[in-house]
Amino acid sequence: MKIAVLPGDGIGPEIVAQAVKLLEVLRADGAKIEMETAPIGGAGYDAAGDPLPEATLKLAREADTVLLGAVGGPQYDTLDRPLRPERGLLRIRKELNLFANLRPALLYPELAGASSLKPEVVSGLDLMIVRELTGDVYFGQPRGIEVRNGERVGFNTMLYSESEVRRVAHVAFGIAMKRGRKLCSVEKANVLECSELWKEVMIEVSKDYPEVALSHMYVDNAAMQLIRAPKQFDTIVTGNIFGDILSDAASMLSGSIGMLPSASLDEHNKGMYEPIHGSAPDIAGKNLANPLATILSVAMMYRYTFADLATADRIENAVKKVIAQGLRTGDIWTEGTQKVSCSAMGDAVVKAL
Ligand code: IPM
Ligand code: MG
C-alpha cells in the first residue's frame, strides 16, 4: 500500500510526523506500506506556485491512500483566491472524487472535563457525521463577485444533483447500519429548494434500508440539539456547508477539535485521511499541537481503506491508553493531568502500541 503523505502548513508537518512515526513502527512490524511526501496548500504554493502542484496530485492519484495534515496560514490570505491554500484542499477532494466525509465525534471518558459542556451531557457520546464533500455551495456555479446596479455583489450557488445526494445517502445508510441504525438527515427544506430535493432523495434511498430509522432535522435546530442533547444522535448525514459547520460544533463536545480524525472516501474506499482541525498558525513550530487527531486518522485509514480492523483497533486502543495514563497536550489539559508536547504524545502512542 502506498501512502501519499501531504503535511501542508502550520502545525501540519509536526502532527503528520507523529503519524508517520507510528506508521514506521507498523512497517517495522511487517506492514507492507510505502510512504512518499509532497507539498500541498501554502507549502505547495511556496514550492511550485500552486496550492495543489501537479506532482502532488499525480502522487495522490497513484497512491492507494492519502494522509494530510492541514493547510493555510495568514501569509497566504492576500493571494489571489485560486492560489490560496484552501483551494488546494478543495481541489484535491474534487479531483479524487472524495464525496463522503466521515467525521466521528467520540468522547473519551477521561476527557469529559475538557468539554465546555457538562459531563453528563457529553459522557458516552459517540456520533458520526457524514458530510457530503464535493458539491453544494462550495462548488456550485455560477459564483463570483461582480458589479450590479453600481454596487458589488457576491454570489454562490447551492446545488445538488440527485445522483450526488443518492451516493452519499448510500454511504451514510451503510454506516448507520454498522452503528446504531439511526440516521438523521440535516437540511433546510423549509427554505431551500436544494434541501427539498436532498430530503426527497434521502426518503427514496431509505427504502433500501428498512432496518435504519431515518429522521429529518433543519440545520438550525440540529445546531441547537447538538449542544442541548448530543446523545440523541447516532449518525448524521448532511450537505457540504452544513456539515462543515456542524462538525466543528460537534468537535467541542469531545473536549477538543484536536482529537477528531476524518476520512474522505470515493466510491472505492480510496480515502484521504486528515484531522478535522486547521493549521493553527499561532502554535505552529512550537511542538505544542495535539497529534491524536492525525494518529486517529491513520486508524481510520486502516479501517476504511486497508480494511484491517485489527490494526485500526490497535491504534485506537493505544490512544485510549495514553489518555488513560493522563498524558495531555495543552488543548485537552485539565488540572491533575500531565502536560506533554506534540512529539512526546507521539512517542507515548508508539510505546502504547
Ligand atoms: C474543513 C475546513 C475546510 C472546509 C476549509 C479549510 C476549506 O474547514 O475541512 O472543514 O471548509 O471544508
Ligand atoms: Mg471546517
Side-chain angles (χ1 to χ4, degrees):
M1 287 288 181
K2 181 161 184 178
I3 308 175
V5 178
L6 315 181
D9 309 320
I11 58 170
E14 302 161 55
I15 52 177
V16 165
Q18 306 314 311
V20 166
K21 197 153 71 183
L22 186 91
L23 284 162
E24 275 163 358
V25 170
L26 290 168
R27 183 168 55 192
D29 212 25
K32 294 197 171 32
I33 45 179
E34 239 181 83
M35 289 178 263
E36 195 175 327
T37 302
I40 193 169
Y45 174 78
D46 291 339
D50 184 348
L52 180 59
E54 212 155 296
T56 301
L57 181 58
K58 184 162 174 285
L59 171 68
R61 275 194 207 287
E62 286 166 3
D64 296 291
T65 182
V66 181
L67 178 66
L68 183 105
V71 301
Q75 68 273 44
Y76 306 110
D77 284 350
T78 50
L79 291 173
D80 280 351
R81 208 164 286 112
L83 297 176
R84 289 190 200 156
E86 293 75 12
R87 274 298 168 94
L89 181 59
L90 297 175
R91 264 172 52 209
I92 197 171
R93 288 172 177 170
K94 191 76 173 171
E95 293 281 352
L96 299 183
N97 205 17
L98 306 170
F99 64 88
N101 182 214
L102 280 42
R103 298 190 162 189
L106 189 89
L107 183 80
Y108 293 83
E110 298 89 345
L111 297 185
S115 173
S116 51
L117 276 86
K118 293 192 193 99
E120 65 268 27
V121 174
V122 290
S123 67
L125 179 86
D126 176 0
L127 113 92
M128 174 71 91
I129 296 182
V130 180
R131 168 190 177 193
E132 199 290 329
L133 201 60
T134 52
D136 204 353
V137 69
Y138 269 57
F139 293 95
Q141 295 288 348
R143 63 190 293 164
I145 299 175
E146 63 185 36
V147 176
R148 291 183 194 169
N149 301 325
E151 65 168 349
R152 287 171 303 154
V153 297
F155 55 97
N156 292 85
T157 303
M158 182 175 265
L159 184 147
Y160 268 121
S161 65
E162 54 181 322
S163 57
E164 285 176 308
V165 180
R166 192 164 291 124
R167 65 182 182 176
V168 76
H170 280 291
V171 172
F173 275 101
I175 286 172
M177 280 292 285
K178 292 191 198 142
R179 294 175 42 91
R181 302 195 168 185
K182 269 170 57 186
L183 181 64
C184 180
S185 167
V186 172
E187 28 64 7
K188 188 74 183 170
N190 51 346
V191 178
L192 305 170
E193 284 79 0
C194 184
S195 283
E196 216 178 293
L197 178 77
W198 173 280
K199 184 173 175 181
E200 274 175 35
V201 175
M202 283 292 156
I203 292 170
E204 286 163 23
V205 173
S206 73
K207 312 242 152 55
D208 293 346
Y209 302 88
E211 298 99 325
V212 176
L214 173 69
S215 61
H216 307 273
M217 198 179 274
Y218 299 142
V219 63
D220 48 348
N221 185 26
M224 179 181 76
Q225 296 299 336
L226 267 178
I227 309 304
R228 193 187 72 85
K231 282 183 279 181
Q232 71 186 280
F233 297 107
D234 176 67
T235 308
I236 289 176
V237 61
T238 189
N240 204 344
I241 191 142
F242 299 154
D244 178 46
I245 299 165
L246 293 181
S247 60
D248 266 34
S251 73
M252 271 299 115
L253 307 171
S254 68
S256 168
I257 196 166
M259 292 300 297
L260 296 189
S262 77
S264 306
L265 306 176
D266 73 0
E267 267 109 349
H268 314 290
N269 283 346
K270 171 170 178 164
M272 183 164 84
Y273 297 84
E274 52 174 314
I276 88 156
H277 60 71
S279 57
D282 53 321
I283 58 164
K286 297 182 180 158
N287 200 18
L288 293 173
N290 185 347
L292 294 180
T294 315
I295 289 171
L296 290 167
S297 298
V298 174
M300 288 189 91
M301 179 185 286
Y302 271 87
R303 192 171 300 283
Y304 292 99
T305 294
F306 299 165
D308 176 353
L309 308 189
T311 305
D313 286 345
R314 213 179 134 200
I315 298 170
E316 284 164 5
N317 285 333
V319 169
K320 280 184 196 143
K321 199 160 165 186
V322 299
I323 295 287
Q325 284 164 356
L327 303 186
R328 304 281 188 273
T329 42
D331 56 316
I332 48 174
W333 180 84
T334 46
E335 207 68 53
T337 59
Q338 186 190 341
K339 201 179 274 186
V340 296
S341 67
C342 176
S343 56
M345 187 62 110
D347 291 338
V349 176
V350 165
K351 194 159 164 248
L353 187 87

